[in-house]
Amino acid sequence: MVELRHLRYFLEVARVEHITRAAEALHVTQSTLSHQIGQLEAVLGVQLFDRIGRGLQLTDAGRTFSDYARRALEEVDEGRFALEGLRDLVRGRVRIGVIHTYNSTLLPAVIAEFATAHPGIHVSIEDMPASDIAAMVASGALHLGLSFATPGRADVEAEPLFSERLMLVVRDDHPLAQRKTVSASQLAGLRLAVQTERFVSRRMIDAELGPLIEGRIWLEMSSIGAMLETIRLQAQTAAILFERAIGPGSGLRQIEIVQPNVMRTAAIIWRKGRARTRAATEIAAAVRRHCRAAGLKMRRG
């Protein structure tokens, strides 16, 4: 019978590729660890490690089994934290994935409120692209995500929060700075900056505006902050970003892009069909409150 200690011992040996160092990290004797690995190999009926000199390397069977062992321990830990979260909000942890825009504009106030109310909860926040957030929520590596709704994933649920319009971001002295709207066809004459193709937002822009901006993009950056700073220094450059990319006091202007109107829907991303911890549901409730307080809502296209 495979027990949890077998999995923990196996994964530590796989990590350091050495029995003695793994035994020291696990605070067990070398003979005990060797015996436990031998038991696991006997139960599974396969050799998990090749002995090479004084070190060890995973066999093909060991590499295959390591993925399952890691997921099994993650599920056990997830269950333990879920039970703690169901009991109370005194201890435990919550892991959140968030796109950069919301991490810098929406989430700080939410986390400050949550930390004041529940100081015993450990909060871990990862700033990452929307596609990574969806994948990590689906795998259980994150309790929830703060991102935007994207089609094509049946393993996550997107709870809509508010809509965001696509904007042209320019300096105050840009020729279009005094306009409230600009048609998509007018983008053809501009010098443009956009995010790289790694980001779902960029792919949305290409899908809607691709033929109109082809040949006009001279700058692609993964960092929105660096892009905005470049615009402050480069008068003729305009960025295409969704509206919450810049906050008040930025010294930049946002002009709505119309014809077509391009919008995305900010959303809380949940793992489909799985129980939600109390800590995660409390943070989600705080997100909703702050969205309402800020006047953020759904718009019609």
Side-chain angles (χ1 to χ4, degrees):
M1 177 179 177
V2 176
E3 299 183 12
L4 289 179
R5 71 170 183 277
H6 290 133
L7 302 183
R8 296 189 193 280
Y9 290 176
F10 163 72
L11 289 173
E12 183 60 24
V13 174
R15 185 181 72 84
V16 301
E17 297 185 331
H18 199 279
I19 282 287
T20 302
R21 289 199 293 270
E24 290 172 353
L26 293 164
H27 305 290
V28 298
T29 65
Q30 182 177 336
S31 60
T32 296
L33 182 55
S34 296
H35 178 68
Q36 293 294 316
I37 295 299
Q39 278 189 339
L40 179 60
E41 289 180 324
V43 169
L44 296 175
V46 295
Q47 182 178 330
L48 298 172
F49 295 98
D50 283 324
R51 278 67 178 174
I52 301 176
R54 295 186 178 181
L56 299 173
Q57 285 187 351
L58 287 170
T59 62
D60 288 342
R63 281 190 290 272
T64 298
F65 183 67
S66 66
D67 292 335
Y68 291 95
R70 190 171 293 108
R71 286 204 298 268
L73 288 182
E74 287 173 353
E75 288 291 330
V76 171
D77 287 340
E78 184 76 13
R80 179 162 56 86
F81 288 126
L83 290 176
E84 289 179 353
L86 289 172
R87 283 199 306 267
D88 52 46
L89 283 167
V90 176
R91 62 188 183 279
R93 71 171 63 175
V94 60
R95 298 185 294 271
I96 307 167
V98 58
I99 62 171
H100 177 76
T101 300
Y102 304 154
N103 197 16
S104 58
T105 60
L106 177 60
L107 201 56
V110 170
I111 297 305
E113 175 189 311
F114 180 84
T116 300
H118 310 292
I121 302 295
H122 177 94
V123 181
S124 176
I125 298 171
E126 292 280 351
D127 189 318
M128 61 182 70
S131 56
D132 292 351
I133 291 172
M136 291 185 69
V137 169
S139 72
L142 296 172
H143 290 102
L144 75 159
L146 186 54
S147 178
F148 52 89
T150 54
R153 291 205 72 112
D155 47 6
V156 297
E157 296 177 3
E159 177 190 332
L161 292 170
F162 57 87
S163 301
E164 284 191 291
R165 299 166 294 179
L166 192 62
M167 311 294 277
L168 191 71
V169 182
V170 299
R171 260 175 41 167
D172 286 345
D173 57 352
H174 190 277
L176 297 177
Q178 302 308 311
R179 299 185 63 119
K180 292 185 177 180
T181 63
V182 60
S183 67
S185 61
Q186 292 176 295
L187 301 178
L190 300 181
R191 186 173 166 83
L192 298 173
V194 294
Q195 285 184 286
T196 66
E197 293 179 354
R198 174 189 178 198
F199 294 88
V200 176
S201 295
R202 166 63 187 281
R203 297 198 287 273
M204 292 172 63
I205 290 169
D206 286 347
E208 296 288 344
L209 306 178
L212 299 172
I213 62 177
E214 187 176 0
R216 304 309 306 172
I217 297 171
W218 79 274
L219 178 64
E220 297 175 89
M221 301 184 80
S222 61
S223 168
I224 291 177
M227 189 188 306
L228 297 178
E229 186 60 27
T230 301
I231 294 171
R232 292 187 187 96
L233 298 171
Q234 228 285 330
Q236 297 305 309
T237 299
I240 301 178
L241 294 165
F242 284 91
E243 62 185 300
R244 289 189 63 81
I246 68 173
S250 67
L252 299 172
R253 292 180 180 266
Q254 294 192 101
I255 307 163
E256 184 179 1
I257 298 173
V258 297
Q259 300 172 356
N261 294 92
V262 181
M263 285 192 282
R264 72 181 183 187
T265 301
I268 300 172
I269 309 299
W270 298 103
R271 189 178 183 182
K272 194 169 186 178
R274 287 301 182 98
R276 301 170 184 176
T277 68
R278 283 193 62 193
T281 55
E282 285 294 318
I283 285 178
V287 168
R288 297 183 202 104
R289 287 195 298 273
H290 282 268
C291 289
R292 289 194 297 269
L296 301 173
K297 56 187 178 181
M298 297 294 296
R299 295 188 182 94
R300 293 182 180 179

